[in-house]
């Protein structure tokens, strides 16, 4: 599936935000993630299911995107 | 994404503003107490951290790298006259959010190379909240900067700042910015909580 991460179409196998965070090797702290421009607290990452062309904003210097 | 930057007014304290922003649904707060000492900021920051935690919101403190580390806030925002981002990253490591102010593509590039996590970019237009100000960017300024970022493959969220009010948001979001930072628009509103709700809605309607 392709999602928009910080305005860039990115291929991912992740099903939810938690899997995406693991895949991107985001640190345990010091990260903010928004879906469709609304911040999602870490406690809700697992239940936030990704869908095609979803807009994800990651406030973190993302490597290798 | 909406970032609320705290400010005090005749009607509201820093914490009042933060409380109203959180109540309105904002989950990204910046505590900015430019002329205060660390000792003056500390108790306010601790209360702000508690409030933000209760709402599941992130708290960034303007300028004060050592205090952010000491208190374990979520991150720091660094203006152009504050500590360089690279130096802050060395002190804080990767477990803190670091944002940097940019007015030009050169600033953005430098922040990117210094491993900033987001860019606060402006001013969109003339603002009374800030005392020293770079030339205004306007919509065209953001379009051009975002285009240059795409070309340079810089994938950092860019938050527009500087005199932004509700009616500016749809056009600004369409330029491709990731977020909007506001202060005056909320604190000057008749009903700040309702204003925050409306601003958030506008950032999501693109």
């Amino acid at each position: 599936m392709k999602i928009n991460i910080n305005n860039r179409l990115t291929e991912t196998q992740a099903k939810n935000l938690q899997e995406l965070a693991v895949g991107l090797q985001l640190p345990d702290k010091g990260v903010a993630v928004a879906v469709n421009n609304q911040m999602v607290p870490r406690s809700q990452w697992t239940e936030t299911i990704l869908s095609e062309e979803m807009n994800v904003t990651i406030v973190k210097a993302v490597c290798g995107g | 994404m909406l970032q609320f930057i705290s400010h005090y007014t005749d009607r509201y304290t820093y914490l009042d503003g933060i409380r109203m922003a959180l109540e309105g649904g904002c989950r990204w707060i910046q505590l900015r107490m430019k002329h205060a000492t660390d000792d003056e900021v500390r108790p306010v920051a601790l209360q702000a951290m508690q409030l933000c935690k209760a709402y599941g919101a992130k708290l960034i403190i303007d300028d004060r790298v050592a205090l952010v580390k000491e208190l374990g806030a979520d991150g720091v925002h660094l203006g152009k006259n504050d500590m360089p981002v690279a130096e802050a990253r060395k002190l804080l490591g990767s477990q803190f959010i670091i944002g940097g102010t940019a007015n030009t593509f050169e600033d953005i590039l430098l922040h990117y190379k210094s491993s900033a996590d987001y860019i606060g970019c402006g001013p969109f237009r003339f603002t009374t909240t800030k005392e020293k100000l770079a030339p205004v960017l306007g919509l065209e300024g953001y379009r051009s900067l975002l285009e240059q970022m795409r070309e340079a493959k810089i994938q950092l969220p860019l938050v527009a700042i500087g005199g932004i009010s509700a009616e500016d948001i749809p056009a600004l979001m369409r330029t491709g910015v990731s977020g909007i930072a506001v202060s005056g628009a909320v604190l000057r509103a008749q009903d700040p909580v309702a204003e925050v709700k409306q601003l958030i809605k506008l950032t999501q309607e693109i």
Side-chain angles (χ1 to χ4, degrees):
Chain A
M1 151 173 68
K2 282 192 163 71
I3 57 170
N4 274 307
I5 300 180
N6 296 352
N7 282 339
R8 194 145 157 224
L9 213 53
T10 310
E11 179 69 38
T12 180
Q13 306 296 325
K15 288 179 207 64
N16 57 47
L17 269 191
Q18 178 61 32
E19 289 182 15
L20 184 69
V22 171
L24 292 172
Q25 298 178 306
L26 296 181
D28 309 336
K29 275 191 71 202
V31 185
V33 177
V35 169
N36 298 335
N37 290 313
Q38 180 66 353
M39 203 79 99
V40 182
R42 191 179 286 266
S43 58
Q44 291 168 20
W45 284 7
T46 306
E47 64 201 64
T48 305
I49 306 299
L50 302 181
S51 59
E52 197 68 34
E53 293 194 18
M54 195 180 235
N55 284 312
V56 178
T57 307
I58 299 176
V59 181
K60 188 86 242 168
V62 181
C63 316
Chain B
M1 229 177 357
L2 191 75
Q3 184 185 82
F4 174 72
I5 303 181
S6 68
H7 203 259
Y8 72 93
T9 67
D10 297 339
R11 288 159 76 196
Y12 304 116
T13 65
Y14 289 105
L15 287 168
D16 288 338
I18 290 172
R19 206 173 285 118
M20 293 186 296
L22 291 167
E23 207 179 309
C26 181
R27 294 293 175 263
W28 195 9
I29 307 289
Q30 184 189 141
L31 178 65
R32 185 171 188 274
M33 297 174 63
K34 210 70 204 179
H35 298 294
T37 64
D38 274 8
D39 285 336
E40 288 165 336
V41 175
R42 190 178 287 105
V44 182
L46 282 168
Q47 287 188 68
M49 281 171 69
Q50 253 181 358
L51 280 170
C52 286
K53 203 176 166 196
Y55 282 90
K58 298 284 172 196
L59 181 76
I60 309 282
I61 301 176
D62 179 70
D63 182 12
R64 297 161 204 271
V65 176
L67 196 65
V68 162
K69 193 170 183 184
E70 176 197 321
L71 301 179
D74 293 299
V76 67
H77 185 92
L78 298 168
K80 295 194 83 167
N81 300 313
D82 300 338
M83 182 190 286
V85 169
E87 201 180 324
R89 183 59 80 198
K90 263 187 218 145
L91 290 168
L92 293 174
S94 66
Q95 310 256 318
F96 290 86
I97 295 170
I98 300 178
T101 297
N103 312 116
T104 64
F105 183 68
E106 285 67 40
D107 297 338
I108 294 173
L109 197 59
L110 178 65
H111 287 330
Y112 173 70
K113 288 179 176 160
S114 311
S115 81
D117 297 312
Y118 77 93
I119 308 284
C121 188
F124 172 62
R125 66 155 57 98
F126 181 76
T127 163
T128 48
T129 312
K130 262 207 161 171
E131 290 143 20
K132 280 178 270 175
L133 212 58
V136 297
L137 290 171
L139 290 173
E140 201 39 59
Y142 288 102
R143 275 189 211 109
S144 154
L145 290 172
L146 288 159
E147 180 58 35
Q148 291 176 76
M149 284 173 73
R150 264 190 294 276
E151 278 167 20
K153 298 200 186 323
I154 297 176
Q155 212 180 346
L156 282 180
L158 187 138
V159 176
I161 180 167
I164 298 169
S165 55
E167 57 270 26
D168 302 318
I169 292 180
L172 258 173
M173 291 305 293
R174 280 196 292 274
T175 66
V177 301
S178 297
I180 306 281
V182 290
S183 182
V186 170
L187 296 172
R188 280 194 298 269
Q190 202 135 44
D191 181 346
V193 175
E195 183 69 14
V196 170
K197 283 183 187 158
Q198 196 210 346
L199 296 175
I200 290 174
K201 200 158 161 257
L202 286 167
T203 63
Q204 294 175 318
E205 275 173 3
I206 45 156

